[in-house]
Amino acid sequence: MAEHEHVRVAVIGSGFGGLGAAVRLRREGITDFVVLERADSVGGTWRDNSYPGCACDVPSHLYSFSFAPNPDWPRTFSGQRHIRSYLEHVTDLFGLRRHIRFDSEVKLMSWDAENLRWNIETTRGSLSADVVVSATGPLSDPKTPEIPGLESFPGKVFHSARWDHDYDLRGKRVAMVGTGASAIQIVPAIQREVGRLTLFQRTPPWVMPRVDRAISGAERWLHRSVPFTTQLRRGLLWGIRELQVQAFTKHPDELGMVEQLARRNMARAIKDPALRAKLTPDYRIGCKRILLSSEYYPALAKPNVDVVASGLSEIRGSTVVAADGTEVEVDAIIFGTGFHVTDMPIAERVVGAEGVTLAESWKSGMQVLRGAAAAGFPNWMTIIGPNTGLGNSSMILMIESQLNYMADYLRQLDVLGVPPGPQGTGGGRTALDARPAAVEDWNRKVQERMKRTVWNTGGCTSWYLDASGRNTTIWPGTTSEFRRATRRVDLGEYEVLRKPGAKGVGVGAGVKKADEPARAAKRSARATDESAPAHASGAQQSEGTV
């Protein structure tokens, strides 16, 4: 990186969120930005997860950007290879490579209150930015449980998101730990080649059939020749899922019929009553992520597969021991144990205006304003932030809504301050900091709506919940509601920070000078703002509410 490099926007990550942000920046006429990527290629979770059988459980035409439709998806549910190829195509189509800094993992980013900008340290050097858009995603850092004796296991150990393709599984005795979305794809993919496969299951998932098929050449020709048909297909897929939302968010009892379909899916493949009992969940379907597979149950019924209805508790040499006392000799352990979702490691590396990290700010639970902005972290936004996850539809829809919010955020900064010039001259003179009262109000309403959802009432413990049992992951509404809620930035929900000498449009209460002592200014501003009206004088109100 160039010495003392400064950019208007720094985007962290090059998965769907980061690439989407980069495309939107260019479409807004902003070219002074970089995308910082810790790996050597784009793709995010679709680059990192390359395990056998890896595929998406959202239909292909819905799991793609609306501004970059793909008429040539080969299957109704695409595999990892094709999704990663699609992201490479988007990168080239929109000329993003010149903005991407590969092998540039962010080690620390800290807010410079005097200059109203972020100072960023990466593995390849330092830079500063007026605005940071964090698109690291919740499925980026694998979680491996701490199991006594694991460090002394003599065989092979790896996580599903860090698959070792050099290790030959043929004939091996393999322990698969976990029964999440990755595990139900891995099990049937490796069952045929391993000598023996033992699945350690703490909680059985609900599994529905995956109605996947090849998309015919005629269909693809039609989508290429008549682009409207691609939009129509996408719209139908979206509409069906929007209609399903109320069952998850307001009427969980209606999901009983779906449970019956899942039970029939199991009964077709699992004839042994004892095994069927092990695999039958005791919670309402939808409480944990509903999984899609037509091959998982048939694989579990094979003679070289054992199901242990208990989690892994200890390892003694090459013997793995379950919590129920079951002991199994294995050559390899594969962890399909998920990711750091409610305790994202990136939060430890973001230091805000008060000198505390984002992780410290979130010690009682993650919370942001409209899925994007955290109080005390000016000009910092996150894509796929807290309470933006979905239980039944495509996250690309949520990402695009957040890109709308990001674009308006940058427009508001332009109106309020001086347009940025080269190498930061004239830029970084204005910042927006989410008001604590606005963040708390937004999250109070989200959590109130969450109380009656299946994710909170279904009787399960899932990765949607944080350590205190609070659901900080899922959005308790439709994607349409979220799009309305993030259509525009409401300046009444923000404090406006200015650098001395900056000229711009005033917005009333909340404007602070950056040359005041940072901590004192922050305390004073918050004391005033928490008693201020919900909408500052002259501020534009957003069209959507929780």
Side-chain angles (χ1 to χ4, degrees):
M1 295 181 185
E3 188 176 0
H4 306 303
E5 181 181 16
H6 180 90
V7 293
R8 186 179 182 193
V9 182
V11 179
I12 317 298
S14 69
F16 267 100
L19 294 178
V23 171
R24 188 56 183 269
L25 289 171
R26 287 188 60 86
R27 296 179 79 181
E28 291 289 317
I30 299 171
T31 58
D32 183 19
F33 71 91
V34 296
V35 178
L36 302 174
E37 169 54 56
R38 66 183 178 183
D40 59 2
S41 60
V42 303
T45 192
W46 294 106
R47 174 200 58 235
D48 296 341
N49 286 268
S50 59
Y51 57 80
C54 183
C56 189
D57 57 6
V58 175
S60 303
H61 288 88
L62 194 58
Y63 199 77
S64 47
F65 291 120
S66 64
F67 52 78
N70 179 16
D72 288 312
W73 287 116
R75 303 195 66 84
T76 52
F77 289 89
S78 289
Q80 175 264 346
R81 178 170 62 90
H82 294 107
I83 296 173
R84 185 178 180 185
S85 177
Y86 170 76
L87 290 172
E88 294 278 2
H89 168 71
V90 169
T91 302
D92 293 329
L93 179 66
F94 291 94
L96 303 181
R97 291 199 187 275
R98 64 177 176 270
H99 296 281
I100 301 176
R101 309 293 173 81
F102 292 115
D103 300 310
S104 298
E105 182 177 5
V106 172
K107 308 302 291 183
L108 180 69
M109 52 181 121
S110 54
W111 177 247
D112 181 344
E114 182 178 355
N115 295 298
L116 296 186
R117 66 185 187 184
W118 285 94
N119 293 324
I120 306 169
E121 298 176 18
T122 80
T123 50
R124 293 190 61 191
S126 302
L127 73 158
S128 59
D130 297 334
V131 177
V132 167
V133 177
S134 180
T136 57
L139 305 182
S140 57
D141 292 285
K143 179 185 288 186
T144 300
E146 295 182 4
I147 299 174
L150 179 60
E151 69 284 350
S152 60
F153 177 69
K156 190 69 178 179
V157 178
F158 53 87
H159 191 279
S160 60
R162 300 292 184 267
W163 195 270
D164 189 341
H165 291 277
D166 293 329
Y167 183 73
D168 189 355
L169 288 170
R170 286 177 296 181
K172 299 294 195 306
R173 300 168 298 176
V174 179
M176 181 75 227
V177 183
T179 52
S182 300
I184 71 156
Q185 294 179 343
I186 293 170
V187 166
I190 68 173
Q191 174 268 321
R192 300 178 186 88
E193 61 181 89
V194 302
R196 185 143 212 96
L197 177 61
T198 304
L199 177 68
F200 288 85
Q201 167 195 272
R202 286 194 307 174
T203 308
W206 284 106
V207 182
M208 295 288 288
R210 186 168 181 260
V211 187
D212 184 28
R213 65 172 179 82
I215 297 176
S216 69
E219 289 175 272
R220 284 181 275 168
W221 175 86
L222 181 63
H223 291 330
R224 283 194 303 270
S225 304
V226 188
F228 171 73
T229 60
T230 307
Q231 299 170 15
L232 179 62
R233 187 172 190 158
R234 179 185 175 90
L236 288 173
L237 292 168
W238 166 79
I240 291 169
R241 281 155 180 77
E242 289 289 274
L243 293 174
Q244 296 170 347
V245 171
Q246 283 207 351
F248 288 86
T249 60
K250 296 180 180 179
H251 308 292
D253 289 343
E254 295 179 358
L255 292 166
M257 294 180 61
V258 183
E259 283 184 13
Q260 293 304 315
L261 295 175
R263 290 178 190 274
R264 289 190 198 126
N265 182 44
M266 184 194 306
R268 278 193 291 268
I270 306 298
K271 304 303 181 183
D272 178 3
L275 179 56
R276 195 182 304 167
K278 285 183 182 180
L279 299 174
T280 302
D282 61 359
Y283 55 87
R284 174 64 74 195
I285 193 170
C287 182
K288 294 169 73 77
R289 183 175 176 182
I290 299 175
L291 306 182
L292 302 182
S293 177
S294 298
E295 300 177 330
Y296 179 63
Y297 288 138
L300 296 183
K302 298 298 183 184
N304 68 330
V305 179
D306 296 310
V307 177
V308 177
S310 180
L312 204 58
S313 66
E314 185 183 359
I315 297 174
R316 303 174 193 150
S318 60
T319 302
V320 293
V321 184
D324 66 358
T326 302
E327 298 184 7
V328 182
E329 290 277 332
V330 297
D331 304 305
I333 303 173
I334 302 171
F335 286 100
T337 46
F339 300 84
H340 290 276
V341 175
T342 60
D343 57 343
M344 294 185 288
I346 189 67
E348 296 279 0
R349 308 177 189 185
V350 184
V351 181
E354 294 278 6
V356 299
T357 66
L358 188 60
E360 291 169 330
S361 176
W362 284 349
K363 63 184 178 182
S364 298
M366 300 189 301
Q367 59 176 15
V368 294
L369 175 62
R370 301 182 186 270
F377 297 82
N379 282 10
W380 181 90
M381 304 182 67
T382 181
I383 305 293
I384 317 184
N387 291 116
T388 61
L390 297 175
N392 74 314
S393 192
S394 172
M395 279 305 301
I396 312 307
L397 301 170
M398 301 296 277
I399 289 172
E400 291 196 25
S401 293
Q402 293 201 280
L403 298 183
N404 290 340
Y405 195 76
M406 176 198 75
D408 195 54
Y409 190 104
L410 293 167
R411 291 188 206 112
Q412 297 297 337
L413 288 177
D414 278 351
V415 170
L416 293 167
V418 178
Q423 293 299 308
T425 59
R429 297 174 182 268
T430 307
L432 295 176
D433 188 4
R435 296 173 184 264
V439 175
E440 291 167 11
D441 183 59
W442 172 263
N443 284 274
R444 177 182 57 78
K445 291 176 180 176
V446 167
Q447 292 303 319
E448 187 63 31
R449 288 185 64 176
M450 197 71 73
K451 288 179 180 178
R452 57 182 176 177
T453 68
V454 69
W455 307 299
N456 280 36
T457 65
C460 73
T461 300
S462 72
W463 58 265
Y464 299 149
L465 309 179
D466 63 17
S468 63
R470 186 165 166 264
N471 193 326
T472 58
T473 306
I474 296 294
W475 168 246
T478 64
T479 62
S480 300
E481 288 177 291
F482 189 75
R483 177 150 296 201
R484 289 193 297 271
T486 53
R487 189 176 307 239
R488 293 187 179 89
V489 169
D490 176 359
L491 290 180
E493 295 179 331
Y494 289 88
E495 301 171 26
V496 181
L497 311 178
R498 292 194 188 286
K499 186 176 179 180
K503 298 178 181 179
V505 180
V507 294
V511 177
K512 296 292 173 184
K513 294 295 183 75
D515 60 343
E516 296 176 30
R519 293 180 185 274
K522 199 74 174 176
R523 287 193 295 268
S524 174
R526 288 181 175 169
T528 301
D529 293 337
E530 289 179 357
S531 62
H535 298 285
S537 174
Q540 181 185 45
Q541 296 188 16
S542 69
E543 297 183 15
T545 56
V546 174

